[in-house]
Structures are given as structure tokens and as C-alpha cells.
């Protein structure tokens, strides 16, 4: 520790060999720890007779997306991030990793990626150039910078989610929901041109 109280030196973040995915460890015959929901249970378990006046609770397969993911935008259309939330949650559930990912993280990813799509649609509508507010000259569209920012944010969140899946998925998996989204975005754009 330095005189000013800050930690300096030591191992750099993300330095060294990357961890091997759980499925590859199992195939290679190496020892691997599989997280299980049983590990998260408390030591003392209640018996049914001990629950006086307990509410009847029902299991929920998927948490409902927050309202802000489907809020109406200025143009009157809904944001549509709720559909991306449901698609991502389903993708995680197929791999048995939905219990390891915080739903707020999925919501953040869905919102960032939907905002990225909105910026790309605005660039397609208004073009890459805009009018400078004071000089009236040409300037680059602010949607380009916003698009890059939202794309970077969405990718960083997705890498976190995908890393959780990679480290905890016991079966080999193929496919990436991001590929499906980009395919839908590109096919939607092609369909719009042909009309």
C-alpha cells in the first residue's frame, strides 16, 4: 500500500489463463464443481407443521419484466425490451443457468441492446450527418456516438451473462441469442426496403 492509501502493484485484473468452461472440464475428465441450488439452502429447514398462517406461495417460472422495458417512447411505440428479456431468459433456462443470473442484469442488457437498435434505426432514418445547432454547418449525427455507447454497454453486460453460462453450463451448447437478434434486425431492415 502506498503512502496515500491506495493499493498499487500486484496481479493485474484479468491477467493469466482464462478459466476453462465447465462442459469442457467434464469432457476432459477433470474435477469440476457444479453449482447446485441445493448449495444455497439454509442449514436449518422448516417443517410444514412449523409454518403457522403461512401464505400459499406459487412458483414462478420466469420473473415478469419490469414495466420500463415496455414503456411507450416519444414516437408512441413501445420500447420492446421486454421481448428481448423474455428471449434471453428462455435461452438461459434452456441451459439451466437462469438461477445464476440476476434478472436485473438481464433487464439492463435488454434495455441497452434495444436502445442500440433504436439508435441504428434513427441513423437509417436521419442519416449520418446532422445540422450543427449554432453554425448551421454539417456535423456527424449524435445517434452514431450514442449507438456505439449503447452497443458497448450491451456487449459488456452480455459478456458477463455469457461468462456465467460458460462457467456453469454442464451441457455443450450452440447458438447465441445475439445472433438471432441481429438476424431479425437485418431481415427486418431488408423487408422494409422491399416494400
Amino acid at each position: 500500500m502506498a503512502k496515500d492509501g491506495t493499493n498499487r502493484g500486484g496481479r493485474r485484473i484479468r491477467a493469466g489463463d482464462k478459466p476453462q468452461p465447465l462442459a469442457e472440464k467434464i469432457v476432459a475428465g477433470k474435477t469440476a464443481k457444479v453449482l447446485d441450488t441445493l448449495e444455497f439452502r439454509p442449514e436449518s429447514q422448516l417443517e410444514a407443521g412449523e409454518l403457522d398462517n403461512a401464505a400459499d406461495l406459487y412458483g414462478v417460472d420466469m420473473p415478469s419484466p419490469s414495466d420500463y422495458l415496455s414503456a411507450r417512447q416519444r414516437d408512441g411505440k413501445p420500447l420492446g425490451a421486454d421481448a428481448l428479456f423474455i428471449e434471453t431468459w428462455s435461452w438461459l433456462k434452456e441451459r439451466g443457468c437462469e438461477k445464476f443470473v440476476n434478472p436485473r442484469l438481464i433487464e439492463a442488457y435488454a434495455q441497452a441492446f434495444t436502445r442500440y437498435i433504436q439508435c441504428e434505426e434513427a441513423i437509417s432514418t436521419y442519416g449520418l450527418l446532422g445540422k450543427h445547432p449554432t453554425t448551421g454547418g454539417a456535423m456527424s449525427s449524435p445517434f452514431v456516438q450514442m449507438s456505439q455507447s449503447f452497443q458497448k454497454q450491451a456487449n459488456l453486460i452480455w459478456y458477463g451473462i455469457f461468462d456465467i453460462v460458460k462457467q456453469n453450463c454442464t451441457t455443450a451448447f450452440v447458438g447465441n441469442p445475439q445472433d438471432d437478434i441481429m438476424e431479425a434486425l437485418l431481415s427486418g431492415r431488408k423487408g422494409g426496403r422491399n416494400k
Side-chain angles (χ1 to χ4, degrees):
M1 181 174 291
K3 290 181 183 178
D4 63 355
T6 58
N7 288 322
R8 297 193 184 144
R11 184 173 176 260
R12 285 180 293 161
I13 296 171
R14 301 187 103 162
D17 294 336
K18 303 295 179 236
Q20 192 176 17
L22 182 61
E24 291 179 15
K25 287 180 184 177
I26 293 172
V27 169
K30 296 182 181 177
T31 58
K33 183 175 181 181
V34 178
L35 291 179
D36 189 11
T37 55
L38 297 175
E39 293 179 17
F40 299 113
R41 291 191 181 167
E43 291 297 322
S44 62
Q45 295 194 3
L46 297 173
E47 295 296 323
E50 299 174 21
L51 300 174
D52 295 329
N53 298 327
D56 290 332
L57 301 176
Y58 299 98
V60 176
D61 196 24
M62 179 186 77
S64 58
S66 296
D67 292 337
Y68 72 91
L69 295 177
S70 59
R72 291 221 174 274
Q73 305 301 294
R74 268 184 95 173
D75 62 358
K77 298 178 189 173
L79 179 60
D82 54 341
L84 184 56
F85 175 89
I86 292 168
E87 182 179 332
T88 306
W89 182 269
S90 301
W91 186 83
L92 288 168
K93 182 131 179 92
E94 289 173 11
R95 282 139 189 88
C97 296
E98 79 284 356
K99 57 190 163 282
F100 302 122
V101 180
N102 188 336
R104 296 290 176 222
L105 188 63
I106 301 171
E107 286 180 354
Y109 165 71
Q111 184 181 27
F113 199 85
T114 307
R115 294 288 183 201
Y116 161 70
I117 292 172
Q118 277 184 328
C119 289
E120 289 299 316
E121 288 173 349
I123 291 169
S124 297
T125 302
Y126 302 114
L128 293 170
L129 295 177
K131 185 178 178 182
H132 194 276
T134 55
T135 63
M139 63 175 258
S140 68
S141 172
F143 294 115
V144 174
Q145 182 66 30
M146 288 190 293
S147 170
Q148 292 171 347
S149 175
F150 283 123
Q151 184 181 31
K152 181 178 180 181
Q153 182 181 2
N155 282 338
L156 286 174
I157 297 169
W158 176 251
Y159 293 147
I161 293 171
F162 196 77
D163 193 46
I164 292 169
V165 173
K166 185 172 76 171
Q167 296 302 322
N168 295 299
C169 188
T170 56
T171 59
F173 57 87
V174 264
N176 185 337
Q178 278 192 326
D179 297 338
D180 298 337
I181 295 164
M182 287 306 292
E183 184 177 323
L185 177 65
L186 292 173
S187 65
R189 188 176 286 172
K190 286 178 186 174
R193 287 183 188 162
N194 294 335
K195 290 183 180 179

